[in-house]
Amino acid sequence: MVIGVYVLERRWFEQWKEFVESGDQNSSSFPGQIDNTELFEDLDSYHLKERLVENEDFVLVPAEAWHKLLSWYGMVDGQPPLERKVVDLPSTLKVEVYPVQVFLCLHSNMDNVVTAQFSRTDSIQRVQKTVCRSFSVPPGSECRLWMKSSDSSCERLRNVHLSVLDACLSSGMTVIMETRNADGTWPSSRPQIMRTSVEDQDSYQGQPGVCGLTNLGNTCFMNSALQCLSNVPPLTEYFLRNLYLDELNFTNPLGMKGEIAEAYADVIKQMWSGRHYSVVPRVFKTKVGHFASQFLGYQQHDSQELLSFLLDGLHEDLNRVKNKEYIELRDADGRPDQEVAEEAWRNHRRRNDSVIVDTFHGLFKSTLVCPECHKVSVTFDPFCYLSVPLPVSKERVMEVFFVSLDPYAKPVQHRVVVPKAGKVSDLCSCLSEMTNVHPTQMVVADVFNHRFYKIYSADESLSCILDRDDIFVYELRDPEDEQEDQVLLALYLRERSHYRDYGTGSSSYGTSLFGHPLLLSVPRSSCSREALYDLFLQRLVRYVRCPDPTDELDEEDEDDDEDELYKTQTNGISDGKMSSSRRFMEPASEPAPEPAPELASEPALESVQNATQDKEEDKQEEASSPSPTANEQPMKKRACPKRRRSLFSIQAVNSNGTTERGTGEGDSAVSFSSQPYVAIDWDPDMKKRFYNENEAEKYVKHVSMEVPQQQTTVQLQECIELFTTVETLEEENPWYCPVCKTHQLATKKLDLWSLPEVLIIHLKRFSYTKFTREKLDSIVDFPLRDLDFSDCLLRKHPANGEPPSRYDLIAVSNHYGGLRDGHYTSYARNKDNGQWYYLDDSKVTYAKEEQIVTNAAYVLFYHRQDKIRKPTLPAPSTNPAPSSDSQPHNANSCKNDEAGPGSASCVTMETE
C-alpha cells in the first residue's frame, strides 16, 4: 500500500493554525505563501537538511489537505512540493521523508554516474530496470548488480526480488551494473573494486576484537551497542566456541527463529577473527529491522533501546526451555525474603534459561504499599539491566540578549539562572537584578529570521523556550512615567529590491527582512507617520546616520515615482488627495478596509492599524485606481513642489513581516490583531549610505558570560541510591490493590537482591515529562575498578573471602549531542590484552583510562571481579613505530591529533 503525503515547514503550519483558529480571516497572522525554505540545505539543489524531526521541523499533511492549502495560499516561486510516500513495512506504516538516493553507473564507465531515488519498498529489479533505461543497455543483455558502500567494499545484489530495504541499499551508495562478455566471462573478474571486505583483508592479522564497524547511515547507535557487547567476555566466548549452535531455538514463538542469534554470531566471528579492520554489519542491521520495526530504515535511534531489544532477542533465540510452562506468581504474604526470592528465581529459570540469563540477569525486590489500607505487597522480579535516574537540577541556565531603552547602548548578552519550572516573569526578575530595570518594563521575544517568531507573555512557562532559541529581552518605557497610554509596536527592517515585481500581477517592489527587529512602546498620540518616522530614527541612531546638509536628498522628479510606490505597494502609505493625514493603506486595487470593530474606539491607533474612519465614497474612490492618474500628479506636484526625501518608508505588516493580507468573504474589512507590526522599508542605495550593518550587529557580553558554567558532577552511587528511593506511582500507572479492589497510587521501593556476572547500568540522561524534554549532561563519576555493591544488596554474604559484589568496568556506550541529534561511540577493554580502545564506527584508537569518565557516558558495563580472567596477551605499545608497509590496510600507526575524543594515540583500523 502506498499513500501520498506532503512535508510542510512547521513554523509556517503553526502560523496558519493560529490564523485559522483566530476565526478572523483578516488577522495579521495570515501566513502568506507556503514557504519550506527552512527545510532545505540550499536553494539550488533543494536537498533536505539532515536529521529533520517531525513536529519540530516539519509536519506531514495528507495530499488532499496539501492541495487545498496550495490553492488558497500558493507557494514560494521555485520551491518544489515535498511529496512523500507512506509505505507499508512489516508491522508498521512509515513515511519516507528521506527517499533512498543512490548513484548508478556501468562497470565499463564508472565515471558516468546518474542519481536516482527509490522507495524502500521498491524491488532491486526496479533498480536494475532504471540502470538499463538510464544507460540504454540493449534489451536481453545478461547483467548483474553490485552494491558499493562508502568503505569501497562491494556486495552482489543476487536476489533482484528483494526490496531496497531488505537489501540494505541506503542513500549515498553506488549501484554498479556489469553485462556478461561475449566469451561468457564477467568484466569484473576480480578487480580491486569488486573485492569483498573479507577478500581485501586476508593478509591482515591484527588483535582479535580490535575491529571497527562501518556506519551504514545513522547506525552509530547500533555500532556502539555491538562494540560493548562484543567486549563482554563470557558472551563472546560462548559464540566463538560455537556453543550457540546446539542451543538455537527455532520454535520459540517469542523468539526470532534463531536469525538474530545467527546474525550476531556472524558479526562477532568476523570481529574476533583478526582479519578485518572494519566489519560491515549489513545482514545484522537487516535482521534487526525485520524483527523490530522501530529500527527499520536509517534514522538515528537509542543505543540502550537497541541493546534492550538485542539482549531479549538473543535470550529468546537461545532459550534452552523449548516449552514454557504456565506459572502463577505468588505474593510474599509475610514469608521471609530469602524464601520468596529463591522461589521467584526458580520460577524464572523454569521459563527462561539461556546464556543471557546466565550472564546478565539479576533479581530485585519490589515493595508496594497501598495508601488507603496499607496493604504491603512484596515481589521479586528479574532484571537484565539497571536504568538509574540522574539527580535533576531544579534550575536552568539561559542565555539572552538585553536590548536597552538607550538607543546608543549595544545589546548585552547575559547568562541567567532561572527556575526550570518557572515562568517568563522569573526570567525578567533574574535579568532585573543584572540590569536594574524593573521586570514590568521588559518584554521577552523569540527572534527568528529577522522577525518575531513569538512574543511571550509574563505568565508563560519557560519550558516553551528551547536552548537553541534566540531570545531577546526589550526594555520598555516605565508606564508610570508616561502621561498617556502606550502602544507596543513590533518593528521590522526590510530592504526593497531594485526592481518592481511585475510577475506577481502588481507593480510593487519586493522586500526582504534584515537586521534585528525591535519592540518599543509608543504614545498613542505619536502614531502618525511623521511622529513614527522621527521616533524610529531616534531609536536607530546608533547604526543609522542622520542626513546632514551636505547630503543631497531633496525629492524632485523622482517624487512621482516615490508617491506612486506608496500608492501601489501593498499596504503603502497614501499621500492621496482624500485625506490630509498620512496613513497605512491596503493595496489600491482592493476596497479600502472598514474600521476594525475592536479598534474603532481607539483613534490614536488609526494610522498604525488602518482604522481611520473615512467616508465610504472616499474609500471607494481611492480603491478604484491602482495608481495616481495622469492629471492627479501635476496637482500633487503643485501642492508639494519640493520636500526632503525620507531615509525609509513605513508600512503596516503582519507578524511574518509581509504586507500581503488575506481578506474575508465579500466586502468584509481587513483588520489587525491586538499586536501591531510595522516595517521600515529601505531603498538599497539609501541603506548602503546611511545604515551601518557592521555596527548594527555588534553586541557586548555581560560579565555573567565570562563565568564558566559549572559542570555538574554526581557520583554513580547517588544514582543507584535514587533508584532504590521510595516513590509514588504516577496516575498513568496505578497499582491494583487486592484488598481495596481498586487501583491505587501506591508507594513503590526497589531494592537489589542479587546481581549478575555482568551488570549493565543505563544512565537515564534523557528526561521526559509532560512539559519538558532534555538531555542531562551531568558528569557521572563512575569507578573503573572496585565498584562495590555490598552495602546496597539486601542479600548478605559470608564475611570470609571476597564477596561477589565488586565489579570492574569493561565497556561504555557514549552519546554526544542533544535530543534532536547526536553521535554514539564506545570505550571497551579487550579481554585478551587488557588494553582500552575508543571505538568510533570504523575507526579504532587506543584510549587511556583517565579519558573514559566523561559527560557522554550513557550505558556502563561492569564485570564481577570473581569472574574476570587475567589477560592472556601482553598489553600493546600505544606508540608503535610507523609501519613501512604502504598498503592502506596495514597502517598500524597514526598521529596523536588524529585520535578520537580524549585518545592519546591510535591504531588506524578504518577500511579504505
Side-chain angles (χ1 to χ4, degrees):
M1 177 180 69
V2 178
I3 307 171
V5 297
Y6 285 81
V7 178
L8 189 58
E9 201 266 331
R10 185 185 70 87
R11 290 178 188 265
W12 187 94
F13 184 74
E14 293 295 335
Q15 181 80 23
W16 173 76
K17 280 174 54 181
E18 180 182 341
F19 171 66
V20 173
E21 290 169 1
S22 70
D24 183 359
Q25 292 300 307
N26 304 305
S27 168
S28 64
S29 61
F30 180 74
Q33 292 179 309
I34 297 173
D35 188 0
N36 285 332
T37 299
E38 288 303 309
L39 302 181
F40 297 116
E41 196 70 46
D42 60 77
L43 297 181
D44 293 323
S45 65
Y46 287 108
H47 285 160
L48 286 185
K49 291 179 180 176
E50 295 293 327
R51 297 174 181 173
L52 294 175
V53 178
E54 185 178 359
N55 295 326
E56 288 190 19
D57 301 303
F58 67 90
V59 295
L60 298 170
V61 297
E64 186 177 356
W66 164 261
H67 291 303
K68 286 287 187 185
L69 291 173
L70 187 63
S71 66
W72 292 336
Y73 303 98
M75 193 170 189
V76 172
D77 288 343
Q79 285 192 12
L82 299 176
E83 184 179 10
R84 293 296 184 263
K85 292 180 180 179
V86 180
V87 293
D88 195 355
L89 298 172
S91 73
T92 186
L93 290 175
K94 291 280 184 179
V95 177
E96 289 186 311
V97 176
Y98 295 94
V100 176
Q101 180 171 291
V102 297
F103 306 104
L104 310 176
C105 66
L106 295 178
H107 178 264
S108 57
N109 184 8
M110 286 189 285
D111 292 331
N112 184 14
V113 177
V114 299
T115 305
Q117 288 189 345
F118 298 96
S119 167
R120 289 165 179 81
T121 57
D122 287 340
S123 67
I124 297 301
Q125 191 170 50
R126 180 175 179 181
V127 177
Q128 180 173 303
K129 290 179 179 178
T130 302
V131 181
C132 291
R133 184 172 61 252
S134 299
F135 296 102
S136 302
V137 175
S141 298
E142 187 179 355
C143 54
R144 63 181 184 180
L145 300 179
W146 296 86
M147 178 173 64
K148 174 179 173 291
S149 61
S150 57
D151 64 0
S152 298
S153 64
C154 282
E155 283 185 16
R156 271 279 313 281
L157 291 169
R158 290 182 172 83
N159 188 351
V160 296
H161 300 293
L162 279 179
S163 68
V164 167
L165 179 67
D166 290 337
C168 287
L169 184 59
S170 58
S171 291
M173 290 183 175
T174 301
V175 174
I176 305 168
M177 174 185 280
E178 59 173 344
T179 55
R180 191 185 292 275
N181 296 324
D183 62 0
T185 62
W186 290 99
S188 59
S189 183
R190 281 177 57 87
Q192 180 74 20
I193 194 169
M194 290 301 179
R195 293 178 188 171
T196 66
S197 56
V198 175
E199 293 167 336
D200 260 347
Q201 301 169 7
D202 274 344
S203 60
Y204 176 68
Q205 285 293 331
Q207 172 62 47
V210 182
C211 176
L213 289 169
T214 300
N215 192 320
L216 304 173
N218 286 331
T219 55
C220 57
F221 74 97
M222 181 184 79
N223 293 346
S224 176
L226 284 174
Q227 289 286 12
C228 290
L229 275 187
S230 168
N231 284 278
V232 172
L235 185 63
T236 293
E237 289 170 2
Y238 170 86
F239 281 99
L240 294 181
R241 292 163 57 192
N242 290 331
L243 299 178
Y244 73 99
L245 292 175
D246 292 332
E247 296 186 344
L248 284 170
N249 190 331
F250 298 104
T251 60
N252 186 353
L254 299 178
M256 299 160 198
K257 302 176 182 177
E259 292 186 35
I260 285 293
E262 288 182 323
Y264 180 77
D266 289 343
V267 173
I268 291 300
K269 288 182 176 182
Q270 291 179 62
M271 293 176 70
W272 287 84
S273 68
R275 294 178 178 269
H276 304 290
Y277 295 91
S278 182
V279 169
V280 185
R282 284 200 192 93
V283 174
F284 179 81
K285 172 67 174 65
T286 302
K287 296 297 184 185
V288 168
H290 180 73
F291 290 105
S293 62
Q294 67 268 33
F295 298 116
L296 276 170
Y298 292 89
Q299 297 298 311
Q300 185 66 276
H301 294 282
D302 189 296
S303 68
Q304 188 272 331
E305 290 179 2
L306 185 279
L307 184 68
S308 175
F309 159 78
L310 182 54
L311 289 173
D312 184 62
L314 289 175
H315 160 63
E316 297 294 358
D317 269 4
L318 299 167
N319 199 342
R320 302 170 188 123
V321 179
K322 299 300 189 280
N323 296 300
K324 294 187 178 184
E325 58 181 307
Y326 172 76
I327 299 174
E328 185 174 353
L329 299 179
R330 297 173 56 198
D331 194 80
D333 286 333
R335 292 180 292 159
D337 281 352
Q338 184 74 28
E339 177 187 337
V340 180
E342 289 177 355
E343 177 186 79
W345 188 249
R346 262 195 324 271
N347 289 340
H348 179 59
R349 294 303 295 254
R350 284 162 64 185
R351 291 173 55 86
N352 302 279
D353 184 13
S354 70
V355 65
I356 302 300
V357 176
D358 298 342
T359 308
F360 297 101
H361 282 207
L363 203 64
F364 59 66
K365 176 185 177 183
S366 174
T367 305
L368 289 163
V369 179
C370 177
E372 295 293 330
C373 68
H374 306 293
K375 157 73 177 174
V376 177
S377 173
V378 175
T379 58
F380 285 81
D381 303 302
F383 67 87
C384 191
Y385 53 85
L386 298 180
S387 286
V388 299
L390 274 63
V392 179
S393 171
K394 295 183 179 180
E395 294 180 330
R396 172 186 177 186
V397 176
M398 297 182 68
E399 293 182 3
V400 300
F401 290 92
F402 178 73
V403 182
S404 169
L405 201 57
D406 178 3
Y408 291 95
K410 299 180 182 70
V412 181
Q413 188 181 25
H414 292 262
R415 183 176 286 156
V416 293
V417 180
V418 296
K420 187 173 291 185
K423 297 182 177 180
V424 170
S425 57
D426 296 311
L427 168 61
C428 296
S429 297
C430 294
L431 196 58
S432 175
E433 297 177 6
M434 298 181 177
T435 61
N436 294 321
V437 174
H438 198 274
T440 58
Q441 291 176 243
M442 297 180 184
V443 176
V444 179
D446 178 0
V447 175
F448 175 76
N449 270 0
H450 314 293
R451 57 185 171 87
F452 293 116
Y453 176 64
K454 185 174 177 63
I455 299 175
Y456 294 96
S457 60
D459 60 350
E460 288 191 74
S461 172
L462 287 175
S463 63
C464 298
I465 302 177
L466 305 180
D467 289 337
R468 66 175 184 269
D469 292 340
D470 291 325
I471 300 301
F472 284 72
V473 182
Y474 297 87
E475 179 187 1
L476 303 180
R477 300 176 187 273
D478 187 348
E480 296 182 2
D481 295 341
E482 302 301 327
Q483 301 299 317
E484 59 177 297
D485 289 343
Q486 301 287 305
V487 178
L488 182 64
L489 277 186
L491 175 63
Y492 292 162
L493 284 72
R494 303 193 306 183
E495 181 177 2
R496 290 201 301 260
S497 62
H498 279 286
Y499 305 101
R500 288 182 174 145
D501 186 7
Y502 293 101
T504 60
S506 71
S507 56
S508 64
Y509 284 79
T511 58
S512 58
L513 291 167
F514 71 92
H516 297 293
L518 288 171
L519 281 173
L520 60 164
S521 54
V522 179
R524 290 186 182 275
S525 61
S526 300
C527 286
S528 67
R529 179 180 182 275
E530 291 85 350
L532 288 177
Y533 180 86
D534 294 336
L535 190 150
F536 293 163
L537 202 58
Q538 179 185 1
R539 190 69 181 82
L540 305 175
V541 69
R542 182 171 61 86
Y543 44 91
V544 173
R545 180 173 68 85
C546 294
D548 56 47
T550 62
D551 292 310
E552 298 180 0
L553 295 179
D554 289 336
E555 290 188 307
E556 294 176 352
D557 294 340
E558 67 264 34
D559 280 352
D560 297 338
D561 293 335
E562 285 295 317
D563 289 328
E564 182 180 353
L565 171 64
Y566 292 141
K567 292 284 288 183
T568 60
Q569 188 169 7
T570 313
N571 282 344
I573 298 174
S574 173
D575 211 9
K577 60 181 181 180
M578 301 310 297
S579 175
S580 59
S581 63
R582 301 179 187 271
R583 55 196 177 92
F584 299 122
M585 299 294 295
E586 291 297 322
S589 58
E590 299 176 6
E594 294 286 354
E598 70 274 19
L599 300 176
S601 61
E602 300 176 3
L605 277 174
E606 288 172 353
S607 61
V608 176
Q609 296 180 320
N610 227 354
T612 302
Q613 298 270 0
D614 276 321
K615 295 180 180 179
E616 186 62 31
E617 60 270 19
D618 291 347
K619 294 182 185 178
Q620 297 297 338
E621 187 172 347
E622 278 189 351
S624 64
S625 176
S627 60
T629 59
N631 60 353
E632 284 178 331
Q633 295 190 27
M635 292 173 59
K636 185 181 296 185
K637 198 165 185 178
R638 287 195 297 273
C640 184
K642 190 172 184 179
R643 54 186 168 85
R644 297 285 292 174
R645 185 182 177 191
S646 300
L647 294 183
F648 47 76
S649 62
I650 303 173
Q651 311 288 351
V653 296
N654 60 17
S655 59
N656 272 340
T658 58
T659 51
E660 292 77 18
R661 295 203 207 113
T663 58
E665 296 296 327
D667 295 329
S668 61
V670 177
S671 63
F672 285 81
S673 65
S674 58
Q675 172 63 61
Y677 292 83
V678 296
I680 57 175
D681 287 354
W682 290 77
D683 176 83
D685 296 330
M686 298 290 277
K687 176 174 177 275
K688 186 175 181 180
R689 291 175 63 186
F690 295 99
Y691 183 87
N692 187 333
E693 195 162 355
N694 184 50
E695 181 64 29
E697 295 297 320
K698 287 183 179 178
Y699 69 94
V700 295
K701 291 190 175 184
H702 187 260
V703 291
S704 59
M705 296 296 297
E706 299 173 3
V707 179
Q709 289 185 258
Q710 295 295 321
Q711 178 70 59
T712 306
T713 302
V714 298
Q715 300 297 315
L716 178 59
Q717 202 65 31
E718 295 178 60
C719 302
I720 296 171
E721 289 171 3
L722 271 178
F723 176 78
T724 59
T725 300
V726 176
E727 63 176 356
T728 302
L729 296 179
E730 297 178 346
E731 293 183 5
E732 295 82 6
N733 188 30
W735 171 65
Y736 183 80
C737 175
V739 177
C740 298
K741 305 296 183 182
T742 186
H743 287 89
Q744 300 283 8
L745 300 182
T747 59
K748 181 178 182 179
K749 188 178 190 304
L750 295 177
D751 291 291
L752 299 175
W753 179 260
S754 63
L755 298 177
E757 176 180 345
V758 175
L759 176 62
I760 302 175
I761 302 178
H762 164 224
L763 304 176
K764 297 172 71 174
R765 290 196 176 276
F766 297 101
S767 172
Y768 300 96
T769 68
K770 291 180 181 178
F771 309 104
T772 61
R773 298 190 307 159
E774 63 177 330
K775 182 192 175 187
L776 306 177
D777 285 319
S778 306
I779 293 179
V780 178
D781 188 7
F782 51 89
L784 272 65
R785 293 179 183 82
D786 299 320
L787 174 60
D788 192 354
F789 282 90
S790 56
D791 293 335
C792 303
L793 286 171
L794 289 183
R795 185 178 72 174
K796 302 303 178 184
H797 297 277
N800 57 328
E802 186 69 29
S805 58
R806 288 180 180 270
Y807 288 80
D808 289 351
L809 188 74
I810 56 172
V812 180
S813 175
N814 302 305
H815 178 268
Y816 300 93
L819 284 170
R820 287 162 53 89
D821 52 18
H823 183 58
Y824 288 91
T825 65
S826 50
Y827 286 106
R829 179 181 180 271
N830 185 274
K831 67 181 180 66
D832 293 336
N833 63 14
Q835 171 66 41
W836 279 94
Y837 295 91
Y838 181 72
L839 305 119
D840 182 356
D841 288 331
S842 56
K843 184 178 181 182
V844 180
T845 59
Y846 290 118
K848 294 182 178 178
E849 290 188 352
E850 56 266 27
Q851 299 156 353
I852 295 171
V853 179
T854 71
N855 66 342
Y858 183 44
V859 185
L860 313 177
F861 290 71
Y862 280 95
H863 200 176
R864 204 169 64 210
Q865 286 182 346
D866 64 319
K867 294 289 187 177
I868 295 177
R869 296 182 316 170
K870 291 184 179 180
T872 57
L873 298 173
S877 168
T878 56
N879 292 290
S883 171
S884 59
D885 193 331
S886 61
Q887 294 298 317
H889 295 300
N890 291 333
N892 288 329
S893 66
C894 73
K895 297 178 182 178
N896 289 351
D897 60 2
E898 292 176 345
S903 330
S905 57
C906 70
V907 186
T908 302
M909 301 295 179
E910 207 159 3
T911 302
E912 291 295 322

